[in-house]
Amino acid sequence: MILLLAIVVGSLYAGGLYMIMRRVLIKLIIGLALLAHASNLLIFTASGLIRGRAALVPAGGSLDFRQVADPLPQALALTAIVIGFGVLAFALALVQRTYQVVGSDDLDQIRSTDT
Amino acid sequence: MLHQVRLALPILIPLFTAVFCLLGWRSLRLQRAAGVAGSFLLLAAGLELLRSVSQDGIQVLHIAGWPARYGIVLVADLFSAMMVVLAGVLGAAISVYSVGDLNARHEIFGYHPLSHVMLMGVCGAFLTGDIFNLYVWFEVTLIASFVLLALGGTRGQIEGALKYVTLNLAASSLFLTAAGLLYSAAGTLNLAALAEALRGPDTPAGLATVLSMLLLVAFGTKAALFPLFFWLPASYHTPPVPVSALFAGLLTKVGVYALIRVFTLLFVTETAFTHNLLLVLAGLTMVTGVLGAVTQNEIRRILAFHSVSQVGYMIMGLGLLTPLALAGSVFFMVHHSIVKSNLFLVGGIAQRLGGSFELKRLGGLYSAYPALAMLFLVPALSLAGLPPFGGFFAKLVLIKAGLEAENFWIVGVSLMVSIVTLLSMTKIWAEAFWKPRPEGRAPGRGGVSSRLWIPAALLAVMTVVMGGASQGFFDLSLRAAEQLTDPSSYVRAVQGSEP
């Protein structure tokens, strides 16, 4: 399972970087989204996968923490997803505005501030 | 517990100021008053924090009383506290300036609340003692800065913002990756616990070095380190002057702060590789930045390229990793923030009086406005490192540290870059101030409100004071650097104060 997820994470990174380097604006956004997904999935995978055992302490009982899934990476991934969502929403608005102002979605046209 | 609340104040004050500004959305006058008051309160909170840290040592606040390994902690050592004071100084100066400079089109879309959200993110990043929390504060800072940069919506701003957003988001996802891998390697996100875990026998040294390189790329992008600086000259000259000044003074410093924090606290085992790499990058950053600046003919673009170049000096001290060198870095960061913001503010006044940022179209400012010329000369000479200003002493400390470490090439590079910096400042002086006004150019709008003059003048006075009282600043920086080079004091402070 870990191997499969590792391949998925790697493909997401590769796809994200490839899309960022394309010339079309909307592909840039897709690339950034893929990169964000790749890191979220990586956080989740890297801390070890344990299926079907949530870290819930039974009433009055105790819990062997090695036998249950670590809840912290899940919390991290959730936080990162929320942040990524907000940032991506802004980036989409920015891309739409760029298209309106520049009149093109070709990144090679967007260089009036370059030096 | 209760007295430790002063650690949270530099985050809470900007938060409440921003909320207050949002509540007063319809009244620009209310927003301005709240913005200025909030910045000065932040400055006061920063000074109080610095006083207590300097008196009682490193301060720690365990949020909600969780032990450090599980909860989030805020930690203020001298370096953090100095950076918070710096954020307060710049926030205060720029909030006053922005009241006089911004037009309603910027203010109406939320300049005041956004600038305070950004200050909150910056202070949070300076104070947190948890690597994932650092990521969150980075994102708070980033998203506020994205909007500030695009506010106004001219073509240049939108294009600059697009590049800034793309590169910073890519860097953020690298940072997140590194944070996740650090957790899986060490089982904690707390910086103090990480510092212990990474030195322990359980973590292979190679893994720590790989993680340090991921963080180097992530923070290096935010700090505009070579070769990751391209977003900075493409974007810093586009927004209104107060936004540029705030970015130039604080944003790259957050990246540099994070680099100094992780490369003094976490990754100090493989210094032969990591810190020598930092030194090489520092040298390349200095040279490329200053060469870029020499080719430019627009005041704000010149200043933006110098921002890149000066980051090299801050990283030079980190690469040398001696107490003296780090003291030089800390001193230089404080000095550079004040000077660079000051130069942007003076550039803004020059644009109002002379009608342009382009050196070709400017001229005659010295004969018409000698006070402005003096106001430019102080930070410009300090940036180039001429005595008796603060910049001279900051560079002196760095160069002395470089000589003591017998790293002669970086000393040579930094001295050369200083000369080219002076050349570039002389160019602005000769073109904008000394040469006669070009034929057919009408003077600018003339009158400039005292709200623009006073902050610029006060920052210039601070530069002079940093030169005059350089011993005091140096002693403080050296104490901060000694805390940085002794990570065990940080670890002890965090673990010793557990509830």
Side-chain angles (χ1 to χ4, degrees), chain A residues 13 25 28 39-40 42 46 70 72-73 76 80 83 87 90 97-98 101-102 109-115, chain B residues 132 139 143 146-147 155-156 158-159 162-163 165-166 169 173 176-177 181 183-184 189 234 237-238 296 301:
Chain A
Y13 273 117
L25 265 177
L28 177 74
S39 352
N40 292 339
L42 181 115
D70 187 349
L72 188 74
L76 299 187
I83 292 175
V87 173
F90 174 78
R97 190 94 187 99
T98 312
V101 172
V102 180
Q109 305 291 318
I110 303 175
R111 50 171 35 154
S112 72
T113 64
D114 282 0
T115 44
Chain B
F132 191 79
E139 295 299 296
I143 200 143
F146 291 166
V147 187
R155 176 166 177 171
I158 295 286
E159 293 189 8
L162 189 70
K163 289 159 196 167
V165 167
T166 308
L169 284 188
S173 58
L176 187 59
T177 307
L181 290 175
Y183 177 73
S184 68
L189 290 162
H237 63 279
T238 57
Q296 296 300 321
R301 290 186 189 234

Side-chain angles (χ1 to χ4, degrees), chain B residues 269-424:
Chain B
T269 44
E270 298 270 303
T271 48
F273 173 68
T274 51
H275 287 72
N276 279 332
L277 179 66
L278 281 170
L279 261 189
V280 173
L281 290 178
L284 288 169
T285 310
M286 286 180 206
V287 173
T288 44
V290 87
L291 290 182
V294 170
T295 62
Q296 296 300 321
N297 284 306
E298 207 254 38
I299 292 181
R300 291 176 301 174
R301 290 186 189 234
I302 296 176
L303 294 178
F305 265 109
H306 276 299
S307 280
V308 177
S309 168
Q310 310 290 321
V311 166
Y313 286 93
M314 303 166 206
I315 301 302
M316 169 183 165
L318 175 61
L320 293 168
L321 202 66
T322 61
L324 188 66
L326 278 166
S329 281
V330 175
F331 197 161
F332 199 89
M333 278 173 86
V334 176
H335 156 259
H336 178 257
S337 290
I338 290 172
V339 162
K340 186 48 65 70
S341 292
N342 196 0
L343 281 171
F344 268 104
L345 299 187
V346 172
I349 299 178
Q351 187 262 341
R352 291 205 156 219
L353 295 175
S356 177
F357 284 110
E358 292 287 341
L359 290 180
K360 279 197 196 84
R361 296 182 188 168
L362 283 170
L365 286 175
Y366 177 66
S367 56
Y369 310 99
L372 180 70
M374 288 305 117
L375 218 48
F376 170 77
L377 212 54
V378 169
L381 292 182
S382 187
L383 188 77
L386 259 66
F389 304 114
F392 169 72
F393 295 99
K395 282 186 180 169
L396 184 69
V397 175
L398 279 172
I399 284 164
K400 184 157 179 276
L403 290 177
E404 277 181 10
E406 300 188 347
N407 246 311
F408 299 115
W409 67 269
I410 191 85
V411 172
V413 168
S414 66
L415 288 173
M416 282 296 297
V417 170
S418 283
I419 294 173
V420 185
T421 308
L422 184 61
L423 176 80
S424 167

